[in-house]
Amino acid sequence: MGCAVSLQCDNDGYKAIRILELSRGAINRMTINPRADISTLYHLHPDLAKRFEDLRFLINAPAEASEGVGKFTLRRESVLSELNELISRIRTKAGFEDFQNLPSKDELFETNPNQVTVLLNTTPFRTDALLIHSNKQVQVLPLDQSIFQCSEEYYDKICNRFGLNDHTDGRKSNVDMRDFLKWLWDQVVGPIFDAFNFEPLNFPSEHDLPDDLVETARLIQYRQADSPKGLDPNRLALYRRLMKRHPNTTSSARSDRSSQARFSAQTGTSDPKFPRIHWIGVGYMGVFPFHAAGYGSQDARKNTMSCAISSYASTLTARAYAKKKPVELEPSSSALLLVTMPETPNQDDLPGVKEEATVIRKTVERKKMAEKHMAEKHMAVKHLEMQRVNVVLDDLPLYSYVHFACHGYADPQSPFQSGLILLDGALTVETISEINTERSQLAFLSACCTAENASSKLLDEGIHLANGFQLAGYPHVVASLWEADDVLSVAIAEKFYRILIAESNIDGHDRIAFALHDAVLAAQQICDDPLSWATTIHIGP
């Protein structure tokens, strides 16, 4: 609300953004900033430091068994109020004037060339998109006020998977989801892209259906069927073949049919020119899949996927924190920890997990074999199958990449207890966010709901597994907004790692976002069911 009031008073966009940053993500900020300055505070003012740590612990504490969401939220708000008062006291001490303060404007707005950021805020009296251009200028774009009336309704529908939780008619749910994505384009994403002058990429139309008549018939059959559950080996084999043949439209110049290749041929450079956009939604809009907005196969010109590569952040502060870590993504200096749970106590088996582990190892090892002449410079892989939480935690700091393929869940009552289910329990947000990994680069969370903001009372805190891994030091996280499709999870992971490790010609932080975009784009053009392909997102700089 403070952001809207600021804009209503004709303040500039940066002031409104600072208000958003200060009023959101407070719990995560308590974890990000102390790592830099708490040790000095302990040395000079130990009583204040201890009370700060005690309050930070209380904020992160899970809900008690007798608490509902309401009491849990009120208790946390009370602790947060006391913590804010304590921070004000600490800032009166010499040398601590900026304790727990926001990063500078340059740090908040720092992006790569050809990269923009959007913060979306809707209130009862105005709705705005705050556009941060690549030159760090802020543009305030007023949006239609009907968005506010619709946002809570669509939030509820997303939480209910557009009725899929109430019935088994996946086709109807996907139809309703497509209608929502059209609305999201018309009311939100389309006007934003017009303001940025984004132009759609001309994707090869012949990839809508394969050339082989048998494959075409099978693909049409799968598209017309109800959303299947479980691992269908025939569907998986078809999807893998088609996604392997699909050109890397944005991440690689190796395909002479890709836009990147055409650009490289004309200019003699491989610098990425397809724009990147970071989405930061406030309130109910924090769960909206902006990357999937549009008209699908009906109109390729009106699709986010056709115009930009999407990434997400809970706040600008969280993104700035992730961007500080030096990026090192080359296989020759990286190692992968693969954690899988094909069978889980008291849960359904996940037959796709074994297949996912197999294709990932083959993809990585193929690159490893190609680099044998480079002695020790290849990607090492360690596979932990059916392991306990403490075993995984011991190994996490040793590897730059980690890939989880297992059951996941989001806890709306106590989001810090959302977790990945391992052999003897859950690896929770609370546990993962307390560790600090120095070598980490990428966490791929191939599990259900790992980026789901499940608690409507704490939407602006961004408490979910993906953000927990960012707090632990992983600048890049691939995660799921809702349940994952068994078959597409395998196919997306395979194409993603193949691009990332062997095919991408893009360096730096862009490399992961571009690789995932091409993998998800291939899945979209093959599957076309948004509840299946649109769940996978990138969170990171």
Side-chain angles (χ1 to χ4, degrees), residues 425-440:
L427 177 59
T428 65
V429 175
E430 180 181 22
T431 301
I432 195 66
S433 61
E434 287 298 321
I435 71 171
N436 194 3
T437 55
E438 295 296 331
R439 301 182 58 184
S440 57

Side-chain angles (χ1 to χ4, degrees), residues 398-510:
L398 307 177
Y399 294 83
S400 47
Y401 291 58
V402 62
H403 184 105
F404 285 87
C406 57
H407 280 291
Y409 66 91
D411 188 337
Q413 302 294 324
S414 184
F416 270 100
Q417 297 310 300
S418 302
L420 299 165
I421 306 177
L422 303 179
L423 185 63
D424 60 342
L427 177 59
T428 65
V429 175
E430 180 181 22
T431 301
I432 195 66
S433 61
E434 287 298 321
I435 71 171
N436 194 3
T437 55
E438 295 296 331
R439 301 182 58 184
S440 57
Q441 295 286 334
L442 166 68
F444 195 126
L445 311 181
S446 184
C448 296
C449 310
T450 50
E452 182 179 5
N453 242 336
S455 173
S456 61
K457 303 290 186 181
L458 295 169
L459 285 174
D460 285 330
E461 291 304 317
I463 304 170
H464 50 65
L465 278 160
N467 281 348
F469 273 87
Q470 273 209 321
L471 291 176
Y474 290 85
H476 296 276
V477 184
V478 176
S480 302
L481 288 171
W482 49 79
E483 289 74 19
D485 177 277
D486 287 344
V487 169
L488 273 184
S489 293
V490 178
I492 288 174
E494 180 181 28
K495 187 168 182 68
F496 169 78
Y497 282 109
R498 186 168 60 247
I499 296 171
L500 186 71
I501 294 172
E503 298 177 0
S504 179
N505 64 344
I506 292 173
D507 298 323
H509 286 293
D510 285 330

Side-chain angles (χ1 to χ4, degrees), residues 24-42:
R24 303 175 64 253
I27 298 173
N28 287 343
R29 203 159 58 244
M30 301 302 166
T31 302
I32 291 172
N33 290 339
R35 288 178 175 163
D37 50 23
I38 193 65
S39 59
T40 306
L41 184 64
Y42 261 114

Side-chain angles (χ1 to χ4, degrees), residues 15-275:
K15 289 183 179 178
I17 287 173
R18 278 190 61 86
I19 291 172
L20 279 181
E21 285 294 302
L22 288 168
S23 61
R24 303 175 64 253
I27 298 173
N28 287 343
R29 203 159 58 244
M30 301 302 166
T31 302
I32 291 172
N33 290 339
R35 288 178 175 163
D37 50 23
I38 193 65
S39 59
T40 306
L41 184 64
Y42 261 114
H43 178 67
L44 297 176
H45 305 284
D47 292 343
L48 293 177
K50 185 178 186 310
R51 185 56 183 159
F52 176 83
E53 289 283 77
D54 289 344
L55 291 174
R56 191 165 70 90
F57 173 80
L58 290 174
I59 279 182
N60 294 337
E64 297 174 1
S66 59
E67 284 184 316
V69 174
K71 288 185 177 180
F72 170 68
T73 304
L74 288 173
R75 174 170 62 83
R76 184 159 278 169
E77 287 177 349
S78 175
V79 175
L80 186 58
S81 176
E82 183 181 350
L83 186 56
N84 285 331
E85 292 178 4
L86 179 64
I87 289 172
S88 297
R89 286 177 55 201
I90 293 173
R91 287 177 181 168
T92 65
K93 306 299 181 183
F96 292 91
E97 293 82 1
D98 291 325
F99 183 80
Q100 286 286 292
N101 216 340
L102 291 179
S104 68
K105 180 179 179 179
D106 286 342
E107 289 177 306
L108 285 179
F109 286 11
E110 183 183 1
T111 59
N112 301 327
N114 214 39
Q115 182 173 322
V116 298
T117 305
V118 178
L119 295 91
L120 290 140
N121 186 53
T122 182
T123 70
F125 61 93
R126 67 179 293 157
T127 298
D128 300 280
L130 298 165
L131 314 183
I132 305 175
H133 290 260
S134 55
N135 62 2
K136 301 185 181 180
Q137 296 299 308
V138 179
Q139 176 185 355
V140 179
L141 178 66
L143 297 175
D144 194 291
Q145 188 54 24
S146 65
I147 293 171
F148 176 75
Q149 281 75 35
C150 297
S151 60
E152 183 175 3
E153 173 189 349
Y154 279 127
Y155 169 79
D156 291 337
K157 288 185 176 181
I158 291 172
C159 290
N160 197 37
R161 313 307 185 238
F162 288 86
L164 194 60
N165 290 348
D166 298 329
H167 56 68
T168 57
D169 189 351
R171 285 171 296 184
K172 182 181 185 307
S173 295
N174 274 296
V175 168
D176 293 343
M177 175 74 163
R178 291 189 192 99
D179 289 341
F180 162 64
L181 296 177
K182 293 175 186 176
W183 172 88
L184 191 59
W185 173 269
D186 291 337
Q187 296 296 322
V188 182
V189 177
I192 289 170
F193 281 11
D194 287 342
F196 282 129
N197 294 316
F198 283 177
E199 294 290 338
L201 200 65
N202 185 23
F203 294 122
S205 59
E206 60 265 31
H207 282 275
D208 288 343
L209 290 171
D211 296 329
D212 184 277
L213 294 179
V214 175
E215 288 185 344
T216 297
R218 287 179 179 170
L219 186 59
I220 292 174
Q221 178 184 358
Y222 289 131
R223 286 181 175 180
Q224 292 176 344
D226 193 7
S227 298
K229 301 296 181 185
L231 184 70
D232 179 342
N234 294 325
R235 186 165 73 104
L236 175 59
L238 176 62
Y239 282 13
R240 287 180 63 196
R241 286 198 303 273
L242 296 180
M243 289 181 68
K244 185 176 182 179
R245 295 205 298 261
H246 194 280
N248 301 335
T249 312
T250 60
S251 63
S252 173
R254 294 178 184 273
S255 167
D256 59 8
R257 304 173 66 188
S258 74
S259 63
Q260 181 64 41
R262 292 195 297 271
F263 176 81
S264 299
Q266 293 168 2
T267 64
T269 178
S270 61
D271 291 340
K273 288 295 177 182
F274 203 50

